[in-house]
Amino acid sequence: MTQPVKHVVVLISGNGSNLQALIDAQYTPALPNTKIVLVVSNRASAFGLTRASQADIPTLCMSLKAHKDAGKTRSEYDVDLATAILTKFQQIVGVPDAVPDLVVLAGFMHIVSPDFLMRFPPGGLVNLHPALPGEFDGAHAIDRAFAAFGEGKITRTGVMVHRVIAEVDRGEVLLTEEIPILAGDTLSTLEDRIHAIEHGIIVRGVKLALGV
């Protein structure tokens, strides 16, 4: 019996290498019966939008700066972004009131508010974060981990995939992977190793979250 296809929306802000890992994994044993139907960015310059277009995936871009320039608040931006995502998703799948099976934050450099989250089913969003649970929540996690290593406070860091809740990087943890920080590491070499691990764990985390 053919399993129904799971529809995924991916939010990005930059290069989109984790998005590419998901694109490459869809419809393979790594991510079966899964289709990325929309890629969303808060930055028009994000190369991830190009990756999506090259894979024939529809895109949406909405800038917080443009909203602020128009006199709107951050909360209004989140409401407008969620509304735009759902409207475009419903147009793509051709089902009024449909919602994505999963929304994936893959390098989305914007903290989503409760106003955004309440427009999606509970547990319907997951995030990739380059730190272990309870360590280096929020922005610049890799930089802060490397600085802590330099101060002799830690010898490893890691990455995790977790469900998104209002508290930043505090939702239910789905997967983690520790990454040792080596004596010869620079910030750049550590970042490269972390990103390589991210490309695998985000696919496994999405598969787990979708139950495929």
Side-chain angles (χ1 to χ4, degrees):
M1 182 176 178
T2 303
Q3 296 296 314
V5 173
K6 301 288 190 178
H7 292 139
V8 174
V9 173
V10 182
L11 276 57
I12 62 165
S13 291
N15 178 56
S17 61
N18 288 305
L19 165 66
Q20 189 65 55
L22 292 169
I23 291 172
D24 293 344
Q26 63 182 344
Y27 289 117
T28 75
L31 209 53
N33 301 312
T34 301
K35 181 179 182 180
I36 301 169
V37 297
L38 178 64
V39 171
V40 181
S41 178
N42 59 341
R43 297 176 181 170
S45 61
F47 183 67
L49 293 172
T50 300
R51 293 181 188 270
S53 296
Q54 289 172 341
D56 295 321
I57 300 170
T59 61
L60 171 68
C61 185
M62 185 177 290
S63 163
L64 174 60
K65 182 180 184 301
H67 266 62
K68 288 187 171 180
D69 290 347
K72 292 190 174 185
T73 65
R74 186 184 183 95
S75 177
E76 287 174 315
Y77 169 80
D78 274 19
V79 171
D80 289 347
L81 179 61
T83 300
I85 290 170
L86 289 172
T87 299
K88 186 148 189 173
F89 175 80
Q90 290 157 9
Q91 291 171 345
I92 292 167
V93 300
V95 180
D97 300 324
V99 295
D101 291 292
L102 193 67
V103 177
V104 181
L105 280 58
F108 188 56
M109 304 305 291
H110 174 81
I111 297 173
V112 294
S113 69
D115 294 314
F116 182 94
L117 293 173
M118 68 185 294
R119 283 160 174 79
F120 298 91
L125 292 85
V126 298
N127 179 52
L128 173 70
H129 183 62
L132 296 171
E135 300 181 5
F136 311 111
D137 296 342
H140 309 298
I142 301 175
D143 304 62
R144 288 184 286 140
F146 187 68
F149 171 75
E151 294 167 2
K153 295 178 179 177
I154 60 172
T155 59
R156 91 291 178 264
T157 184
V159 295
M160 67 172 171
V161 177
H162 66 91
R163 296 197 189 273
V164 180
I165 60 174
E167 291 77 22
V168 176
D169 298 326
R170 291 289 172 158
E172 175 196 357
V173 176
L174 299 176
L175 287 175
T176 65
E177 188 162 342
E178 286 194 5
I179 300 170
I181 305 177
L182 307 177
D185 264 333
T186 63
L187 178 58
S188 178
T189 60
L190 178 60
E191 285 176 336
D192 287 345
R193 287 212 323 285
I194 287 175
H195 292 326
I197 296 297
E198 286 178 337
H199 299 162
I201 199 172
I202 193 170
V203 172
R204 300 196 305 275
V206 168
K207 182 177 183 181
L208 182 62
L210 287 172
V212 294

